[in-house]
Amino acid sequence: MAPGPQFRLLGPMEVRPAGAPVVLRAGKHRALLATLLLRPNRVVPVTELVEHVWGDAPPARTRGTVQTYVMRLRAALGDPSLIQTATDGYRMRVDPLAVDVHRFADAAARGRAAVAADDLTAARKAFAEALELWRGPVLSDVPSETLYAEHAPRLTELLMTVHEQRVDVELALGNHADLVPELFGLTRDHPLRERFWAQLMLALYRSSRQAEALEAFRQLDRTLDEQLGIDPSAELRSLHQAILVGAPELAAPVPAREPELGPATPMRLPDDITDFTGRVRTVERISGLVTGAAVPIVTLAGPPGVGKTTLAVHVAHLLRDRFPDGQLYVDLRGYSLGPPADGMDVLSRFLRALGVPPDEIPADADEQSTVLRSLLSGRRMLLVLDNAAAPDQVRPLLPGTASCRVIVTSRDDLRGLIAMNGARTVPVDVFSPDESAALLATLLGPGDHAELAARCGHLPLALRVAAAYLAGRGGETIDGSPIELAYAALPPAPQRLFRLLSLVPGPDFTAEAASALADTDAEGLLTVLEIARLVVSPAPGRYRLHDELVRYAAAVREESDSPADQELAWTALLNHYLRGVERCAELLYPGIVRLPTTPTGPAPRIPGAAEALVWLDAERPNLAAAIRHAAEHGPAPMAWQLADALRGYLWIGQHVGEWLATAHHALAAASAGAHRPAEAAMHANLGTLYLRLGEYALSVQHHDHAIELYRALGDKDAEASVLNNLSLVHRRSGELGLAKDALVRCLAMLRSADSISTGLYNLGQLSIELGEVDGAVEHFSQALALAPNADSHAYLGMALRLQGRLVEARAHLDRALELGNVPAGDAEALDNLAALELAEGNPEAALTFATRALSLVADGGDQQVATSARITLGEIRRAMSELEPAAALFEQALATARRIGYASGEVRALISLALVWRDLSRPSESRAAVEEAVRRSAELGLRALENRARALA
């Protein structure tokens, strides 16, 4: 739990400052505080505060009245600094984990992460912690209909999901018998939630109550038929069949022994070295600081080659039991010859390691940092941040909770961390003579090694290289730099490879990359370098050089290799990367149009799609560094060719940090070289990226640049493609008129029948959103003439239905079903037939069509179509006076539409909810849904839906 005042909204509001609890007797004060707490540390505009506190009866002097209420609320809380005044609103300055709503979400996320890491004990604990926070219905005594409508459904759905996930964990732990009473209660309270029924059936079966498990299925079947007119899901039917035959896969798991306290994933530390020597007092001091009460950050500062990384990793391994929730490690590459680690990429990697799905990672670095602190809160984890050059590299990664500790290594003492973050610096010096002698004795055997240790300056790196050099050389001694001697002792081929490896811009490399670089089979040469301790292998198949060895290799390369040879090697490495990325593109996203390339040399061995993802994940930091280096130092074409070939992977994996960096580097290179096709492609690339980020103004700007360049190049196909994407940007931002203009311009340039018909589909759908049904009929009719397929018949049937031409609409929808064989397409046609039957006064026939439509897409299918089918099914239930089932369907459709960003579906669901809640005599909820529908439709430019919503209002 976060320190300071605590706030509870999951039930009646409770405010618990440091002293006695505060009772807010005024309902508007509770509504004001709840609005601020639900968005901690963010400015809530005055207009939104007024909406949530006063609803549809705002005060005459809104700003002055809000100021007065805020002043009184500050006085009641006893700490005026908690509520800060901003330019256009107010901000609640509070740790999100001090609010039970956010602590609940955090505990749920930790539970999911633990499940992903297969740590069921930790998952059970986290889910139980989340559920214990609920004391009743959320916001139960906060008199704000709009606030309740906005947050209660989402939080209640998350509560149900956590119940399901916790039960799954308990079942996996073998606690089925204890779950049966609880699951009887959950299925009674939530009779339409099929997952609870599946869990009840499984728990009963595993408790030797097979007959009751089968009866539970029959009860659910009757409930679904009576209330929704549908059958149980395919998953439940399969479970029912498995119970009937006693399938062995349903057997209860063997109870596992309670695990001992130890490290849990994520466990991201590099391996500890087996011959760690010396540093006894330093290890004790670091361990004491890390596990003590007052020092959140320990910085190990010392010169290069002194062994800071080895020491940090060794201590982290020693303290594994003290940090049972795991360890995270990253090399920040602050002193590398290449670029430092990208901050957004590091944050993203940490979040993924903690179980956050890629599509849920925020696009903004500050938000990523906030999510990281939230996930680490209350956990006992150790972070090792290696090779930091400045405090700003470290601060976004700091946990902000006393239970997590951080070890930082740096050549500097990072005084900014001392001053602002309470860090303590531990100097790391060279070995003492005794420690040097002990290490050399371990590596070389007993003997007098004092002189050798002195010649190495007692630097651990130099000592290890010297020992590798002297091994097997009898009585030879060191006279000079160990690194220089080790290099000089190599045969010419390993020497050349060592020099050229300093050209690698990223953190590591493979034998294939080294082979491309040196134009030879490097496998054996790397073994020679590894024996000489000039190269290390931190993971199977991957190699790296210490920063000081890279600097030495680069200096020798500049002296020994001609500029032409160096350029040839560097270009060969880039060709290796480009061949690899292009091979992955062919396997993973072959349909994406890419810039032409002419890479040379053999491609990496990547046999299939699974291997392609593994290769890209491993090489991602190297590829990003290569693009940046090529953009800054040449050859520039490699920068934009690599970035263009990589964009599909970055989009699929949601690697926003690298996507942003590589696209900008490639754009700079293309602009500097006046390569207009590449410049246009990179602007289009950035336009797509900023659309993904929701930065619509920037997206439009880059799309416009791309359109201008393609127009100047006379590339009508590319210009049309960008115009089509620009239309989507305008649709997402609610500028439907501009979206239509872009689509019309796009259509004028298209040449193939398939592309024109696709453009006409898009224009027709946009026309429907604009309320221009006649135009939609025209566009879909033209598409049908060009491509008479299932989609064109379905779209035209939909438009004709909306126009009121039901007989013609039915003919086209029937034809769509005859031609179709794609579940989503068939579901759309069935959904429209259901709406048509309802319009003709045939609810029973409509119910059959809508049920079939939903069954095609409900389980993992097209969720936009599923949303529409649920709305149609709800309208049918409402027409049949089955109001509660109708409301449940509309609520489910609304939740899905919001989750997938289906704007018109969201507004349709809100309008339908408003109607059914009015029928159910729930005027306040009906009014809130109408107001939200009006606001969202006006905001998005959905004119037809806005007119419907305003008519209801």
Side-chain angles (χ1 to χ4, degrees):
M1 187 179 295
Q6 303 293 309
F7 303 89
R8 298 181 180 180
L9 303 175
L10 300 176
M13 177 180 280
E14 290 184 9
V15 181
R16 296 177 175 271
V22 171
V23 178
L24 298 178
R25 303 193 183 281
K28 287 185 170 55
H29 285 169
R30 295 196 297 276
L32 177 61
L33 179 58
T35 303
L36 293 169
L37 288 171
L38 287 165
R39 291 171 61 183
N41 303 312
R42 295 195 176 190
V43 175
V44 182
V46 169
T47 53
E48 188 172 333
L49 292 172
V50 170
E51 178 186 4
H52 290 321
V53 176
W54 284 275
D56 56 359
R61 293 178 57 255
T62 55
R63 186 168 292 274
T65 305
V66 170
Q67 286 176 343
T68 301
Y69 272 74
V70 168
M71 179 183 69
R72 293 173 180 169
L73 184 56
R74 283 170 173 159
L77 295 176
D79 183 359
S81 68
L82 285 174
I83 304 177
Q84 298 176 333
T85 303
T87 304
D88 59 346
Y90 295 89
R91 177 194 295 110
M92 189 77 185
R93 187 179 59 81
V94 64
D95 187 332
L97 296 180
V99 185
D100 61 357
V101 168
H102 307 297
R103 197 155 68 251
F104 167 70
D106 171 72
R110 285 191 279 112
R112 291 193 297 272
V115 170
D118 204 27
D119 187 353
L120 299 183
T121 302
R124 170 206 273 171
K125 179 181 177 182
F127 287 140
E129 178 185 332
L131 295 172
E132 284 172 1
L133 294 169
W134 283 75
R135 298 166 293 108
V138 60
L139 302 170
S140 61
D141 65 342
V142 175
S144 174
E145 295 171 2
T146 58
L147 201 63
Y148 187 86
E150 183 175 333
H151 293 281
R154 172 180 61 85
L155 290 167
T156 304
E157 174 59 26
L158 183 55
L159 171 64
M160 293 296 98
T161 302
V162 171
H163 272 300
E164 291 171 349
Q165 292 167 333
R166 188 194 66 81
V167 171
D168 281 340
V169 168
E170 295 290 351
L171 286 170
L173 289 169
N175 300 326
H176 39 271
D178 295 337
L179 286 170
V180 170
E182 177 184 353
L183 284 167
F184 272 129
L186 287 169
T187 52
R188 181 192 63 244
D189 295 340
H190 309 282
L192 300 181
R193 200 156 186 106
E194 294 191 32
R195 186 67 195 142
F196 288 147
W197 287 97
Q199 291 168 330
L200 173 61
M201 290 164 63
L202 186 58
L204 287 168
Y205 176 78
R206 288 180 175 176
S207 302
S208 301
R209 299 163 69 175
Q210 183 180 19
E212 290 177 74
L214 296 172
E215 177 55 32
F217 177 83
R218 287 190 288 271
Q219 184 178 344
L220 171 64
D221 191 14
R222 288 193 300 270
T223 300
L224 292 177
D225 181 61
E226 292 168 1
Q227 296 196 28
L228 300 179
I230 62 174
D231 296 323
S233 67
E235 177 189 354
L236 269 166
R237 294 196 300 273
S238 297
L239 177 61
H240 176 250
Q241 184 62 30
I243 290 173
L244 277 172
V245 300
E249 63 265 25
L250 298 185
V254 177
R257 185 171 60 88
E258 195 72 13
E260 299 175 2
L261 187 64
T265 51
M267 179 66 182
R268 297 292 190 269
L269 287 177
D271 291 339
D272 194 7
I273 61 172
T274 57
D275 55 5
F276 185 88
T277 304
R279 310 280 196 199
V280 175
R281 291 185 179 177
T282 306
V283 168
E284 290 177 353
R285 184 182 179 199
I286 297 168
S287 300
L289 289 171
V290 170
T291 59
V295 182
I297 306 164
V298 177
T299 301
L300 310 186
V306 80
K308 300 181 294 295
T309 299
T310 300
L311 176 59
V313 170
H314 179 68
V315 171
H317 276 283
L318 289 178
L319 299 178
R320 285 171 61 177
D321 289 351
R322 302 296 296 272
F323 296 95
D325 291 322
Q327 293 126 335
L328 295 172
Y329 169 90
V330 65
D331 181 0
L332 295 173
R333 308 186 71 237
Y335 299 96
S336 170
L337 286 181
D342 179 80
M344 285 185 67
D345 175 52
V346 174
L347 282 164
S348 178
R349 275 190 276 158
F350 277 8
L351 293 177
R352 289 167 192 254
L354 291 167
V356 180
D359 59 350
E360 294 181 17
I361 295 175
D364 178 75
D366 290 340
E367 290 184 23
Q368 288 181 355
S369 186
T370 299
V371 173
L372 177 65
R373 287 194 297 273
S374 175
L375 289 175
L376 293 177
S377 179
R379 304 182 78 172
R380 294 166 60 192
M381 295 188 70
L382 178 63
L383 280 65
V384 179
L385 310 179
D386 197 13
N387 288 320
D392 286 347
Q393 264 193 302
V394 173
R395 286 199 179 99
L397 306 171
L398 297 180
T401 181
S403 60
C404 293
R405 297 301 168 93
V406 182
I407 299 176
V408 183
T409 75
S410 179
R411 297 181 187 179
D412 187 27
D413 61 7
L414 303 181
R415 295 183 182 180
L417 291 180
I418 300 172
M420 297 182 63
N421 302 95
R424 183 77 62 83
T425 299
V426 175
V428 182
D429 205 346
V430 298
F431 272 168
S432 69
D434 289 343
E435 289 172 324
S436 296
L439 178 59
L440 290 173
T442 300
L443 298 173
L444 294 173
D448 183 3
H449 303 301
E451 183 180 352
L452 173 59
R455 288 184 182 278
C456 293
H458 300 288
L459 273 171
L461 175 65
L463 290 167
R464 290 185 178 277
V465 174
Y469 169 76
L470 291 173
R473 293 180 183 270
E476 188 173 337
T477 60
I478 289 286
D479 185 15
S481 161
I483 296 174
E484 291 177 6
L485 288 171
Y487 169 76
L490 294 172
Q495 279 188 340
R496 177 172 175 270
L497 177 60
F498 177 68
R499 296 194 304 269
L500 294 178
L501 287 173
S502 64
L503 290 168
V504 175
D508 62 5
F509 54 89
T510 62
E512 283 186 313
S515 298
L517 187 68
D519 192 24
T520 187
D521 185 353
E523 231 17 287
L525 303 180
L526 287 168
T527 301
V528 173
L529 293 175
E530 197 173 3
I531 291 171
R533 299 297 298 224
L534 296 178
V535 163
V536 295
S537 179
R542 306 202 71 83
Y543 302 86
R544 66 182 298 272
L545 277 70
H546 189 283
D547 288 346
E548 286 306 294
L549 294 175
V550 172
R551 294 180 191 279
Y552 175 75
V556 180
R557 170 173 52 80
E558 291 295 338
E559 294 177 1
S560 306
D561 299 286
S562 69
D565 287 343
Q566 296 180 55
E567 181 66 22
L568 188 65
W570 167 237
T571 303
L573 178 62
L574 289 176
N575 272 297
H576 165 79
Y577 286 144
L578 184 55
R579 289 298 302 271
V581 174
E582 291 207 319
R583 170 64 177 155
C584 294
E586 292 165 3
L587 291 166
L588 296 173
Y589 39 93
I592 294 182
V593 178
R594 303 192 303 273
L595 288 169
T597 61
T598 55
T600 59
R605 294 185 293 272
I606 307 172
E611 292 83 2
L613 275 176
V614 171
W615 190 89
L616 287 167
D617 286 342
E619 296 294 343
R620 190 171 75 244
N622 295 314
L623 295 168
I627 291 168
R628 175 174 175 173
H629 195 81
E632 294 174 350
H633 305 287
M638 284 293 189
W640 63 70
Q641 289 177 28
L642 272 169
D644 186 62
L646 195 60
R647 62 189 165 91
Y649 161 72
L650 298 176
W651 180 80
I652 290 170
Q654 309 292 333
H655 301 293
V656 171
E658 278 114 335
W659 190 356
L660 199 61
T662 55
H664 276 294
H665 288 311
L667 176 59
S671 301
H675 193 287
R676 298 304 177 227
E679 196 177 347
M682 288 306 106
H683 275 301
N685 186 11
L686 283 165
T688 304
L689 170 58
Y690 284 120
L691 171 60
R692 153 77 176 84
L693 298 179
E695 298 280 358
Y696 299 126
L698 282 172
S699 181
V700 169
Q701 180 182 326
H702 283 286
H703 277 106
D704 284 344
H705 281 308
I707 290 167
E708 291 172 11
L709 288 164
Y710 282 131
R711 185 178 300 133
L713 291 165
D715 191 340
K716 291 186 178 297
D717 290 340
E719 183 181 352
S721 175
V722 178
L723 279 166
N724 186 64
N725 290 341
L726 178 61
S727 171
L728 179 58
V729 180
H730 287 313
R731 286 178 75 172
R732 292 275 180 87
S733 61
E735 296 174 313
L736 298 192
L738 293 176
K740 182 177 180 180
D741 290 343
L743 268 180
V744 169
R745 290 160 59 197
C746 168
L747 268 169
M749 296 177 187
L750 297 174
R751 289 178 286 188
S752 72
D754 284 345
S755 62
I756 293 172
S757 62
T758 300
L760 287 166
Y761 293 154
N762 293 337
L763 190 55
Q765 290 169 333
L766 183 58
S767 296
I768 287 175
E769 290 184 356
L770 287 165
E772 300 169 357
V773 178
D774 292 347
V777 170
E778 181 182 347
H779 300 318
F780 290 140
S781 298
Q782 292 171 352
L784 177 62
L786 287 168
N789 53 35
D791 284 342
S792 52
H793 279 289
Y795 287 134
L796 180 55
M798 172 183 63
L800 289 168
R801 177 181 66 79
L802 293 172
Q803 204 178 38
R805 296 158 64 179
L806 302 186
V807 175
E808 296 169 78
R810 184 188 297 277
H812 284 288
L813 292 170
D814 287 341
R815 183 59 177 155
L817 286 175
E818 291 173 13
L819 296 175
N821 58 2
V822 177
D826 290 350
E828 279 193 292
L830 288 164
D831 181 39
N832 276 282
L833 279 169
L836 187 153
E837 292 288 358
L838 185 61
E840 290 187 331
N842 304 316
E844 296 293 343
L847 183 63
T848 301
F849 282 126
T851 303
R852 286 175 57 196
L854 186 58
S855 69
L856 288 173
V857 288
D859 295 326
D862 188 316
Q863 290 305 292
Q864 184 165 313
V865 179
T867 298
S868 181
R870 286 192 176 96
I871 293 171
T872 303
L873 193 57
E875 289 170 347
I876 296 166
R877 290 294 180 192
R878 177 172 173 260
M880 299 171 75
S881 299
E882 299 174 5
L883 302 183
E884 291 288 356
L889 284 160
F890 295 145
E891 287 177 323
Q892 191 174 0
L894 178 62
T896 304
R898 284 174 168 166
R899 177 172 56 81
I900 66 175
Y902 178 25
S904 60
E906 178 187 355
V907 176
R908 283 181 60 202
L910 284 166
I911 291 172
S912 296
L913 271 172
L915 288 167
V916 77
W917 278 333
R918 185 186 65 187
D919 296 342
L920 288 166
S921 300
R922 291 158 68 176
S924 60
E925 291 168 84
S926 177
R927 186 167 57 252
V930 168
E931 290 170 353
E932 177 68 1
V934 170
R935 185 184 70 80
R936 287 290 286 152
S937 57
E939 178 183 279
L940 295 163
L942 303 172
R943 295 174 192 165
L945 290 172
E946 183 184 356
N947 290 338
R948 283 183 60 194
R950 289 192 183 280
L952 279 176

